[in-house]
Amino acid sequence: MRSIHNIPISRKLTLIITLISCVALTLNCGFFIIYEFLSFRKASLQQLQTMIETFSINNRATIAFDDPTSAATTFASLKNENNTFAACIYRTNGVIFVTYPEGLPKEGFPPPAFVRTNWFEAGSLVLFEPIHDDVGQKIGSVYLKSNLQSMYSGLYRFMAIALGVVLTVSIAAFALSAKLQGWISQPILDLSKLARAVSLNKDYSLRAVKKADDEVGVLIDSFNEMLSQIQARDDQLKAAKQKAEEVSEELRVSHETLEDYNRTLEIKVEQRTAELAQAMNEAQESKVAAEQATRHKSEFVANMSHELRTPLNAIIGFSQVLLEKMFGPLNEKQTEYTNDILGSGQHLLSLINDILDLSKVEAGKMELEPSLFDLRAIIQGSLVMLKERAANHGITLKADIGEGIGIVNADERKMKQILFNLLSNAVKFTPDRGAVGIRANLVGDDIHIAVWDTGIGIPKSEQQKLFKEFHRVQSSLSATVEGTGLGLTLTRKFVELHGGRIWMESTLGKGSVFTVALPQKKLEAELGTVFITRPGESLLADSSSEHEARVRVLVIEPDARAAAMLTGHLNEAGYSVEVARDHEEGWKKIQARPPRVVVVDVLQTEGAGVSFLDRLKEDPTTKELPVIMVSFLEGGEPGEPLTETERIAKLDPKLLVEKLGGLGLRRQNTPVRILAIDDDPRTIELLAASLGPEGFEVLKATTGEQGLEMAADQRPDLIVLDLLMPGMNGFEVLEKLEQGQLTHDMPIIIFSIKNLSVEEKNRLKGRIAGMAEKGAFNKEAFVSIVERTLKRSQKGII
Amino acid sequence: MAGKVVLIVDDNAKNVKLVRDVLEFKGYAPLVAETGEAAVALATEHLPALILMDVHLPGISGTEATKMLKANEATKKIPTIALTAMAMKGVRESLLAEGFDGYLSKPVELKELLELVKSHLG
C-alpha cells in the first residue's frame, strides 16, 4: 500500500487544501442543519401548542354539554394542515369523548394525562392539554399527535442543498488548490529536481532560481550557497587530485629516470668492476712480475755474493798467510801492502755482506727472528767489540743505561748490527782522544737508544742524504775512513723492521747523535710476547700451583734488577724461581726447601763465594746440588770504560736456560712428547735433533694419516705439523684433529715453507698455537715457540 | 813426522793452494780432490782424519759426496766440515742436517780454520 508520505508534495498540498475545505464546510453545514432542526422542532411545538390550546378552549362547552358532534367539528381545521394528525378528547374519567379522524379505534390512544405536557417520539410530537371550565375545574384533556412530516421534508431539503454546496466547494477547492499549490510546491519541486540533477550529473555549477523571498527562497539561497561550497570543494578536490596526479606522474617519471639511472649505474658498476678486475689483474701481473724481478735480483745478488766470495777467500787467506809470516819474513813495505790487501779484501767482504742484507730487505725476505734477550747486555757487548779500535785512537767509550732497560723481545742479531753500525760510525768519525757513548732509556712507551760522539759532525746539506744507499759524507776525515755507504741504510731498515724510527742531530765540528726509537707496545703486539719487563713485574707473578709443577731454581743475586731479569728468563723457560739476596739468605732457603739448581752471581760472591761453594760441597744434603756460576757485567758508569769483568764469561740468559736444560732436570719425569708430522724425513730429523737435546721426546709421522693415528694413540703434548704433504695435507689434518675427541685440544705448531694466502691464514687463525717457517729455521727460536706453547697449554714443563 | 791426513775438496785451485799450504805449514798432510767423485774415492782409499769439503763442486755436490761417505761404514766416522761461500740464512742448519759435522763460511778466517782443524784433530 502506498504510504501517504510518499505521494508527491503537489498532490499532498492539493489533498490537504481540499480536505480542509471539505471538513470546514461540512462542519459548517452540520452546525446549520442541527440549528435548523432545533428551530423546526421549536416552531412545530409552538404551532401545535397554540393549536391544542385552541382545541382545549373550544371544547370546554362540548364537554360540558356533552356534545361530541360539535366537538368533532373543532378538529376539522386539522384537515387543512400538511401534517397528518391523530387527536382525541378525554373526559376526566379517562373515557375518550371524541377522536380524530372519526371512527379511529379508541384502543390506539394512550392513557390520558391531565397536565400540560409534550414529547417527541418516533418522528412524531405528542401533546396533552387539560380542559378547564370557567371556574378552572378540570373537565377533560386533549391529546394531539403530529407526524412532523413537513418539518422533516424541510430538513431534508436543506441537507441536500448543504451536500450540494459541500460538493461544489470541494471541487472548486480541489481545482483551485491544484492550481495554486504550484505556487508553493513548484520552487520546492524545482529545487528537488535540481538536487537530483546535481547528484546525478555531479554538476555543481547548476543553481536554483529564486522566485520569492520566502522560506523557500531562503532554502534556495542556502542550497545555492551549499552548492557553491561543494563546487568550491569539488574544485579544490579536483585541483588536489590533479596535483596528486601530476605528482604521481612526476613520481612515475622520476622512478623511470631512477630505473634508467640504476640500469646505467649497474652497467657502469659492471664496467668499473671489469676495469677494476682488469686493473687488479694487471696489478697482480705487475706484482708477480715485480716479485719475479725482485726474486731474480736477490738470486742474482746471492749468486754474485757467492762468486765474489770465492776469489776473496784467496785474497784474504793469502794476505793472512803472508802476515802470519808462515813462509818467511816480509819487509816493512811488503807488510804494509799486504795489510792494505787484507783490509781492502775485508772491506769488500763487508760490502758484499751489506749488499746481500739490503737486497734481502728490499725483496721483503728479511724477517725478524724475535727472541727474548737482555738489551743491556747487547749494548755493553757492542761497546766491548769497539773497545780495541777506540783504544787505538784514545777514544773514551761511555755507557749510560737507564732503569727499565732490560729484557726485550726483538731480533737480537739485527739489534747487535744496529748498535755496532752506529757505534763504529761514531768511532770512525771521531778524531783521536774524543768520546763516543751510548745512552738508553724509556721515553713514554718507546725505548730510546742514542749513540753520540764528539766527532766531526755532519753538515746540514748532508744530513738528508745520510740514510741513502752508498752515500758517504765528504770530509777530510772520511777520506781516510773506509766504509761501505750501506751501514746506515741497513740500520734504518732494521729499525723500521722493528717498527721503530731513527733520526740524527749533528753540529759541525761538535759531534752527532743518532737516536733509535723502538716502540715497546707495538713490538709487543706484533711479536706476540712481552717486549720488556721492568724489574719486579709480571714475570714473577706466577700461580703457586704452577710453581709446584716446575723445577725450582734458587738465584743468589743481590742486585734486584739483575734478579728480576733472570727470574723473567727462567720463568719464561718454565722454571720456578726463588731469589736470595746474599749467601746467608741463600743457605737458609736451601736448608728450608732444597731447590733443584742454584744459580750464583760470581761477582757478588768473590772471596766469600768460594767458601759458600765449599759449604755446599761439604754438607751431605747439598753436595749433589748443581750450581751454575754466572756473572753480570757491571753497568758502566758514564766516563768509565768497560771493565775487565769479562774474565768470567758474561751472562747470556739464554745460555743459562740452555745450561739448565742441559742438566736434564726436565727429563726426570715423563718427558714432554712432541709429534712431528712431515713427509720430509730430513725435516723430522732436524726437529728431533733440535728438540731432543732440550729434553723433548719426538714422535715421528711421515703422512697426515699416520700423524692422526699417532695423535689419537700416543696423546702427544704438542704437534708440529707441516702443511704441504702428499695425500692428506696439513689443513685436513688440522680439521680432523679438531674433530677428534682425544685430539681437539692438542696445541699445534705449523712448521712449513708455504707462503700462506690470506684465506689460508684465516683458516688457521685461532686453531694453531704457533707458526715457524722452514726456510728460516732457527733452533733457539723454535724451541722457544715450543716451550711457550706448552706453557700456554698448561701441560707445562715438568 | 807424518801429520794427520786432511782431505781438501775444492775445485778452485787458489783456494786449494791456500788451505793446502797452511795445513802443510801446520804439519798436517793435505790431500786434494777437485771433484766429489774423487773425494769419495780418495777418502775411501786413504781414510783421512778430517775432510774439508766445498759444497759447490762440478759433478756431484759436496753434500752428496758427504752423504755417500756417511753411508759407508768405513768413512762415516770421518769428521766432514763444509766450506761454502753461501751466506744465506739457515745454510748452517741445513748443512748440519745433511750430515756435515761442521761449517765454515768463505772467505775463511785462517785462525778460525786452524782452530777448527785443531779441535777435530788435537
Side-chain angles (χ1 to χ4, degrees):
Chain A
M1 177 182 128
R2 192 170 166 197
S3 164
I4 194 147
H5 296 291
N6 291 340
I7 60 175
I9 284 182
S10 58
R11 202 76 63 78
K12 266 185 204 157
L13 270 176
T14 312
L15 213 61
I16 288 167
I17 292 167
T18 311
L19 202 63
I20 289 170
S21 306
C22 287
V23 168
L25 210 59
T26 308
L27 281 175
N28 199 8
C29 289
F31 284 126
F32 276 108
I33 286 167
I34 290 165
Y35 179 72
E36 279 302 308
F37 177 68
L38 292 176
S39 302
F40 266 120
R41 271 181 43 159
K42 199 175 172 184
S44 298
L45 192 60
Q46 274 174 352
Q47 190 191 349
L48 288 178
Q49 192 64 40
T50 312
M51 212 181 272
I52 202 164
E53 281 174 13
T54 311
F55 285 142
S56 169
I57 294 164
N58 288 351
N59 282 301
R60 234 184 249 178
T62 59
I63 292 176
F65 296 104
D66 198 21
D67 183 1
T69 318
S70 302
T73 52
T74 59
F75 290 122
S77 63
L78 292 174
K79 284 179 185 164
N80 303 325
E81 290 293 325
N82 284 337
N83 295 333
T84 357
F85 295 96
C88 74
I89 296 170
Y90 295 96
R91 290 179 199 276
T92 42
N93 57 3
V95 175
I96 293 169
F97 175 63
V98 72
T99 64
Y100 177 84
E102 270 174 88
L104 209 65
K106 288 174 184 162
E107 294 82 29
F109 288 95
F114 294 99
V115 287
R116 187 182 282 181
T117 184
N118 58 69
W119 68 82
F120 287 87
E121 63 167 36
S124 301
L125 182 57
V126 178
L127 300 102
F128 280 97
E129 184 67 35
I131 304 168
H132 299 277
D133 62 9
D134 298 335
V135 287
Q137 188 77 33
K138 269 177 200 170
I139 55 172
S141 177
V142 183
Y143 165 77
L144 183 66
K145 181 183 179 178
S146 171
N147 69 353
L148 296 175
Q149 186 60 50
S150 62
M151 183 191 85
Y152 280 114
S153 62
L155 200 62
Y156 289 147
R157 207 168 44 242
F158 191 83
M159 281 171 72
I161 290 166
L163 190 66
V165 169
V166 166
L167 275 174
T168 313
V169 167
S170 293
I171 290 163
F174 182 78
L176 263 174
S177 68
K179 274 284 172 203
L180 294 178
Q181 53 83 24
W183 200 33
I184 293 169
S185 69
Q186 199 54 48
I188 298 177
L189 288 177
D190 287 350
L191 193 60
S192 156
K193 214 165 142 191
L194 186 78
R196 176 171 290 217
V198 168
S199 82
L200 269 180
N201 303 331
K202 307 280 185 262
D203 180 0
Y204 302 107
S205 63
L206 294 175
R207 288 294 177 277
V209 182
K210 182 178 165 187
K211 283 169 185 158
D213 251 340
D214 57 2
E215 286 85 349
V216 177
V218 173
L219 181 65
I220 286 171
D221 279 346
S222 307
F223 185 76
N224 283 343
E225 175 62 26
M226 193 177 78
L227 272 181
S228 297
Q229 287 184 10
I230 291 177
Q231 192 178 20
R233 295 275 170 86
D234 192 51
D235 286 350
Q236 283 176 4
L237 261 176
K238 274 182 185 155
K241 194 181 166 195
Q242 199 178 356
K243 193 153 190 189
E245 276 169 3
E246 281 169 16
V247 170
S248 143
E249 175 65 13
E250 275 171 27
L251 266 174
R252 197 183 57 77
V253 171
S254 40
H255 183 69
E256 272 175 14
T257 319
L258 200 63
E259 278 185 346
D260 278 355
Y261 186 67
N262 265 346
R263 271 192 292 278
T264 326
L265 198 66
E266 272 171 26
I267 294 169
K268 271 190 184 162
V269 166
E270 273 170 23
Q271 282 174 352
R272 289 285 157 84
T273 312
E275 284 169 18
L276 197 63
Q278 200 187 344
M280 275 174 72
N281 273 342
E282 282 167 10
Q284 186 63 31
E285 278 168 20
S286 31
K287 192 187 158 203
V288 169
E291 279 172 353
Q292 207 168 8
T294 315
R295 204 164 48 242
H296 285 159
K297 183 178 153 194
S298 47
E299 275 168 19
F300 168 76
V301 172
N303 286 338
M304 189 196 71
S305 145
H306 179 261
E307 295 307 321
L308 291 175
R309 272 160 196 274
T310 306
L312 265 180
N313 191 44
I315 295 170
I316 291 170
F318 284 123
S319 328
Q320 283 175 339
V321 169
L322 287 176
L323 288 170
E324 289 288 322
K325 304 180 182 69
M326 284 182 189
F327 304 101
L330 303 174
N331 65 30
E332 202 178 319
K333 269 286 172 210
Q334 285 166 334
T335 308
E336 187 192 328
Y337 293 164
T338 313
N339 263 323
D340 287 346
I341 294 170
L342 179 61
S344 300
Q346 277 164 341
H347 181 201
L348 193 54
L349 180 61
S350 65
L351 196 58
I352 290 165
N353 286 341
D354 283 356
I355 288 173
L356 198 58
D357 274 352
L358 201 61
S359 109
K360 270 192 254 172
V361 170
E362 278 171 358
K365 282 189 180 167
M366 184 67 85
E367 282 171 4
L368 288 181
E369 292 166 29
S371 61
L372 286 175
F373 60 89
D374 187 5
L375 186 59
R376 184 175 289 270
I378 296 295
I379 291 172
Q380 285 162 340
S382 64
L383 285 170
V384 169
M385 284 174 76
L386 284 160
K387 207 170 64 174
E388 191 184 322
R389 212 195 299 176
N392 288 345
H393 293 276
I395 293 171
T396 318
L397 292 179
K398 302 185 178 186
D400 175 12
I401 304 172
E403 286 284 329
I405 301 296
I407 298 155
V408 297
N409 186 7
D411 188 316
E412 187 174 347
R413 193 181 73 83
K414 293 187 181 68
M415 199 60 79
K416 276 181 185 163
Q417 219 166 323
I418 291 169
L419 295 176
F420 181 77
N421 280 347
L422 293 176
L423 280 170
S424 66
N425 272 348
V427 170
K428 267 186 227 168
F429 294 104
T430 299
D432 291 359
R433 284 172 298 286
V436 168
I438 195 161
R439 202 165 43 232
N441 49 350
L442 283 177
V443 177
D445 284 337
D446 289 353
I447 296 172
H448 279 201
I449 305 168
V451 174
W452 57 268
D453 62 60
T454 60
I456 56 174
I458 300 156
K460 282 259 182 276
S461 58
E462 302 277 352
Q463 291 183 5
Q464 294 299 316
K465 310 175 202 158
L466 208 58
F467 293 99
K468 291 226 161 84
E469 289 94 336
F470 297 110
H471 184 82
R472 297 193 59 206
V473 177
Q474 298 302 311
S475 78
S476 55
L477 190 58
S478 67
T480 67
V481 175
E482 69 179 18
T484 63
L486 286 173
L488 277 177
T489 310
L490 267 180
T491 301
R492 193 187 64 182
K493 302 265 184 196
F494 287 167
V495 170
E496 284 168 357
L497 270 178
H498 279 89
R501 292 171 297 133
I502 182 168
W503 67 93
M504 61 92 51
E505 296 142 89
S506 181
T507 314
L508 207 57
K510 293 258 174 93
S512 312
V513 184
F514 284 78
T515 309
V516 172
L518 297 170
Q520 146 184 10
K521 284 268 162 61
K522 192 169 176 200
L523 279 185
E524 251 177 64
E526 282 179 2
L527 302 174
T529 41
V530 186
F531 180 63
I532 186 160
T533 305
R534 287 174 196 140
E537 266 184 19
S538 63
L539 287 179
L540 284 166
D542 273 321
S543 75
S544 60
S545 63
E546 210 180 332
H547 274 276
E548 294 310 312
R550 294 160 162 228
V551 170
R552 288 180 58 245
V553 176
L554 177 67
V555 173
I556 304 179
E557 169 60 63
D559 180 28
R561 207 175 55 216
M565 193 269 273
L566 266 187
T567 306
H569 270 285
L570 293 174
N571 277 338
E572 185 76 8
Y575 295 95
S576 119
V577 179
E578 221 176 322
V579 177
R581 297 196 163 274
D582 53 38
H583 300 142
E584 215 38 55
E585 195 187 339
W587 179 254
K588 277 180 194 152
K589 287 202 164 161
I590 292 166
Q591 294 299 314
R593 193 166 167 228
R596 296 286 302 279
V597 193
V598 179
V599 175
V600 185
D601 185 340
V602 174
L603 274 185
Q604 309 298 332
T605 61
E606 224 156 358
V610 181
S611 62
F612 177 69
L613 286 182
D614 289 346
R615 200 164 154 191
L616 286 177
K617 296 295 167 205
E618 281 161 15
D619 191 309
T621 58
T622 57
K623 201 171 69 180
E624 303 288 334
L625 197 59
V627 176
I628 296 176
M629 307 290 284
V630 299
S631 135
F632 293 91
L633 273 179
E634 275 286 21
E637 291 298 314
E640 184 185 312
L642 287 169
T643 63
E644 298 82 16
T645 49
E646 279 175 292
R647 60 194 166 83
I648 302 167
K650 70 179 163 59
L651 174 72
D652 177 357
K654 274 200 307 192
L655 197 71
L656 174 65
V657 170
E658 242 170 61
K659 280 209 167 132
L660 280 169
L663 290 173
L665 298 168
R666 289 178 191 170
R667 270 172 285 186
Q668 295 251 330
N669 295 315
T670 324
V672 174
R673 293 180 312 155
I674 298 174
L675 172 61
I677 307 177
D678 201 312
D679 59 314
D680 178 12
R682 282 177 304 178
T683 304
I684 290 193
E685 285 316 313
L686 176 63
L687 288 174
S690 305
L691 295 170
E694 298 294 320
F696 299 106
E697 186 184 324
V698 179
L699 309 171
K700 300 161 191 175
T702 49
T703 65
E705 290 86 349
Q706 192 193 356
L708 274 180
E709 218 168 90
M710 288 178 73
D713 288 350
Q714 314 260 333
R715 316 278 299 276
D717 298 296
L718 178 84
I719 295 171
V720 177
L721 177 65
D722 185 20
L723 287 179
L724 288 180
M725 289 187 288
M728 188 186 281
N729 70 31
F731 291 105
E732 291 168 298
V733 173
L734 200 62
E735 259 165 42
K736 289 261 165 31
L737 284 172
E738 281 217 327
Q739 289 160 9
Q741 182 95 50
L742 298 171
T743 56
H744 71 277
D745 59 348
M746 284 179 186
I748 295 156
I749 292 175
I750 298 297
F751 185 51
S752 184
I753 48 167
K754 191 165 168 48
N755 280 325
L756 294 178
S757 67
V758 177
E759 191 205 339
E760 287 171 330
K761 275 185 185 158
N762 285 337
R763 277 174 78 182
L764 295 175
K765 203 178 247 178
R767 309 170 79 161
I768 60 165
M771 266 196 83
E773 204 187 317
K774 271 185 187 172
F777 183 77
N778 171 298
K779 187 186 146 185
E780 284 80 18
F782 189 77
V783 170
S784 138
I785 292 177
V786 166
E787 288 182 339
R788 256 180 273 160
T789 305
L790 285 168
K791 205 177 144 202
R792 266 207 297 275
S793 79
Q794 304 262 316
K795 302 221 161 170
I797 294 154
I798 310 296
Chain B
M1 70 165 204
K4 290 187 178 166
V5 177
V6 177
L7 176 60
I8 303 166
V9 190
D10 202 325
D11 62 324
N12 183 301
K14 292 194 186 73
N15 284 334
V16 167
K17 186 162 83 179
L18 172 68
V19 177
R20 189 190 59 203
D21 289 0
V22 168
L23 290 181
E24 249 170 21
F25 177 77
K26 288 291 176 186
Y28 301 104
L31 201 60
V32 175
E34 286 184 11
T35 63
E37 292 86 344
V40 174
L42 279 175
T44 316
E45 188 184 336
H46 297 279
L47 295 176
L50 181 72
I51 302 174
L52 299 174
M53 176 86 77
D54 186 21
V55 176
H56 274 265
L57 290 170
I60 65 166
S61 73
T63 313
E64 281 168 75
T66 305
K67 276 188 186 158
M68 288 164 76
L69 291 171
K70 292 294 177 190
N72 186 335
E73 197 62 41
T75 55
K76 81 173 189 187
K77 290 253 169 69
I78 304 171
T80 309
I81 309 296
L83 290 180
T84 176
M86 286 189 293
M88 302 299 281
K89 196 164 62 175
V91 165
R92 183 186 141 87
E93 283 75 16
S94 62
L95 287 175
L96 294 188
E98 309 253 34
F100 285 103
D101 301 293
Y103 162 91
L104 277 179
S105 73
K106 286 185 186 174
V108 173
E109 273 289 323
L110 274 189
K111 277 185 198 161
E112 219 180 312
L113 173 71
L114 291 172
E115 270 172 28
L116 190 78
V117 171
K118 205 172 144 193
S119 74
H120 278 283
L121 301 180

